[in-house]
Each structure stands twice: as C-alpha cells, then as structure tokens.
Amino acid sequence: MPGSVPAIEGLPRYTTWAAVPHELYTKTQLAQQDPPLKPGADPVGQVLYHGNSYAPLYDVAAAVPKRRASPAQRAVLQRARKLQHECRRCGLLEVNRLGKGRFCDECRYAMTMWEQHDQAQALARELVADPAAVLLVVDIDPDALPTAQTVAVVAVRDHQVLYEALAGEYGSPERAAVIDRLDALLADRRVVMENDYMGPTSRRAHRLVHEPGQPWYGTHPEHPWATSNCALHPRVAGVWSGWFAWRDSEWSTIASVPRDGTEVPWPRTLDVAADGRSMAGLLHRIADGTEPVWERAAWTRDGHGVPEPAGDRGRGAMGES
C-alpha cells in the first residue's frame, strides 16, 4: 500500500469510521461478508484512514456475489504461493518469499560463481580463435640484473614464440632496443598478460619501462602494452581463476588465484618463452573445457547440477550437466 492514497474528487468524505453510513462498505469489508461480495457499481463515498489515505466506499445494495475459485483454481493458486518460497534449482523451501528468479542464497552464490566460470571460457575461446592474440611474458627480478630480465611474446593460437630476448638493464641501449621491438611487434596485436600477484616477484609488463618502486598506473602514452591496469588487457591469471573458481572465503563470490600459488597450472621460471607456451596451452584447455576446476567449486559440491549459462537462464529451470 502506498504511503498516501489521495481522496477522490466529488465523493463525500468521512473522517472517522463511526461517521460512515451502515450501508457503505470498503472492498475488504465486502469480501469478508458471507457469502463474499464485490462492488457492483462505482464508489459513492470515501473514508479517511491512517491519517492521510482514503478508502473508497461502495453501496452494499449494489454489490454482487464474488465468484469463488474452483477446487482446481485453488490448487493452482496454492501451488503458485508455495513456488514463491521454493528454490527453482534445489527445491529448498524458505520461510520468506524468494523474489525475482526464485533462487535460494546458496544457489544464487553457485550461479554467480558459475557465471564467472562461463565467462572465462568464453574469453578463452575468443583469444584462442584470434590470430592476433599474443601473450606478453616478462620476468623482472631486481635482485638478479641483468641476466634474469627476460621477455617473450608467444602466439596464443599456435604457441609459436614470436620474440624472445634479454631485457637488459634499465636505461641501457639493450633495454631501449627491446622496448622498440615490442612497440613494433605489438602495435596491431591483442596483448594478453600473465598479471597477478604470485610468487616472489610480480611479472608485470610495465616493469620493463618503469623501475621497481616508481609509481605508475594506467596505460603508458608511448607504449600501450606497458600497462599496470589489469582491466586494459586480458589476463591469463584472470581467465584461469574465473574458470577454476577458487575463493578465499566460504561465501565470497570473487574468484582469485590461490594465495600460496600451489594450484597455478603454469610454470613461473626464467624461461619466459616456455612459460608463455604453457599459458597458451592453458587457454586452449579452458576453451576446450578440459582444464580441471577447484574440487570445492560451488556447482560441483552442492549436488543440484550445473547452472545454465547466463544467456539461457530466462528459459526455465536450471539444467544438469
């Protein structure tokens, strides 16, 4: 009921229930009669209630019998009322109505995680099918200059190593040559990063241009591939974590890479070309659906089947895998 129901112009107004003539009833009062009645004509008055709302009043003499629901109709209505409390995926009955979608909290959680899983596969398939998609893999270890500073570019589609080099020291001609080569090679490519906080060092592409400790965020104006913002480029770690569905608390709906790195299915070595080929293989396995998921992924442990992809959810009940 709205906070205030305005008065109807042109009808008598009664400010107390005691002032209402005995032959005038509200819709609710008519329905409470035996047999139940409903208005048979337009309202002839109105009564103030709750201090700021008016209820229409009807002449009981003009009321007509209210049609009763048949047993079949009552059964349908009862079933519809029950369905408002029944999860359409697992069948759990909740005390409160479930609202739009009709899913319990646990199933809604599982579906949220599944949606990330489904989107991760869609992105992996997109990258695998794109001949311009390449992995940019770097290893920048400030404690092992210059030999550990390496960079490689690997084609996602066929795992081919397109470029591999030592990065050289910061400010050196070798470093400048590597950056120039990357500028030329990646100009028309879709660059995929490894990006994530894993292991003792952070293998982020912007470290080729910016020394450790030098603040930087966003896209470099001269080197678009040298980004510190994960949202600007696809990330292998982001695709895999969405697929794997690990989360750091029971009710978290944010998939992430496990903190200890023990589950990460690609190597992190000084041979960045080999690491890049491993990551390309991972994207292919995700695209094919053969890469394992976390053993406690929500939809694998609740026993109620795999949720449908997001685009199919409006079609009916959740399906089995």
Side-chain angles (χ1 to χ4, degrees):
M1 179 66 70
S4 175
V5 179
I8 303 173
E9 295 294 333
L11 293 182
R13 302 181 189 181
Y14 304 97
T15 57
T16 65
W17 289 99
V20 176
H22 69 278
E23 70 274 8
L24 300 186
Y25 288 70
T26 65
K27 282 185 177 180
T28 300
Q29 290 171 331
L30 288 174
Q32 292 172 344
Q33 302 304 302
D34 188 17
L37 302 173
K38 65 179 181 179
D42 293 335
V44 295
Q46 53 195 327
V47 60
L48 181 68
Y49 70 101
H50 288 172
N52 61 353
S53 296
Y54 283 87
L57 296 169
Y58 302 87
D59 191 340
V60 68
V64 296
K66 190 174 184 178
R67 189 176 65 179
R68 292 179 178 271
S70 67
Q73 289 173 324
R74 286 197 294 272
V76 169
L77 291 173
Q78 185 176 2
R79 174 60 179 161
R81 284 191 290 269
K82 180 183 177 183
L83 285 177
Q84 292 178 347
H85 299 263
E86 182 180 317
C87 176
R88 59 187 287 211
R89 179 169 178 263
C90 71
L92 179 70
L93 287 175
E94 294 278 12
V95 174
N96 299 321
R97 288 188 297 178
L98 294 173
K100 185 178 180 180
R102 238 180 51 242
F103 298 108
C104 68
D105 288 343
E106 290 195 22
C107 285
R108 196 177 300 279
Y109 160 72
M111 291 165 58
T112 300
M113 299 303 294
W114 170 265
E115 186 171 355
Q116 296 178 46
H117 171 85
D118 191 56
Q119 290 172 347
Q121 184 178 46
L123 179 54
R125 288 174 173 173
E126 183 181 315
L127 294 173
V128 165
D130 186 354
V134 294
L135 277 156
L136 175 58
V137 191
V138 302
D139 189 88
I140 305 298
D141 184 352
D143 296 327
L145 292 173
T147 55
Q149 301 233 336
T150 54
V151 59
V153 177
V154 179
V156 173
R157 192 172 192 175
D158 59 9
H159 308 189
Q160 181 183 356
V161 179
L162 304 178
Y163 179 64
E164 181 179 10
L166 293 175
E169 298 187 50
Y170 286 104
S172 68
E174 292 81 9
R175 177 66 62 98
V178 168
I179 292 174
D180 288 345
R181 181 72 180 101
L182 290 175
D183 287 341
L185 182 61
L186 303 178
D188 298 318
R189 297 280 187 171
R190 186 174 187 184
V191 181
V192 184
M193 306 289 191
E194 178 183 15
N195 288 8
D196 217 310
Y197 297 103
M198 300 179 296
T201 60
S202 176
R203 307 209 301 191
R204 294 178 178 269
H206 74 277
R207 299 286 284 277
L208 284 167
V209 180
H210 303 283
E211 295 186 38
Q214 182 180 358
W216 179 256
Y217 185 81
T219 305
H220 195 288
E222 299 176 7
H223 315 295
W225 49 267
T227 174
S228 63
N229 185 347
C230 299
L232 299 178
H233 293 287
R235 299 176 301 129
V236 173
V239 174
W240 176 77
S241 61
W243 173 267
F244 191 63
W246 182 89
R247 80 277 188 230
D248 58 6
S249 66
E250 183 179 2
W251 293 109
S252 172
T253 55
I254 300 176
S256 59
V257 174
R259 297 282 188 263
D260 58 7
T262 56
E263 301 284 355
V264 176
W266 68 90
R268 292 174 58 80
T269 69
L270 296 183
D271 188 349
V272 292
D275 293 356
R277 287 193 295 267
S278 176
M279 283 184 255
L282 171 65
L283 291 175
H284 279 262
R285 294 195 301 275
I286 292 175
D288 294 339
T290 57
E291 178 66 19
V293 299
W294 189 36
E295 62 183 8
R296 293 174 58 194
W299 63 90
T300 68
R301 65 183 177 86
D302 67 5
H304 300 295
V306 174
E308 294 177 358
D312 297 332
R313 287 192 190 149
R315 301 179 187 173
M318 311 311 291
E320 296 288 333
S321 59

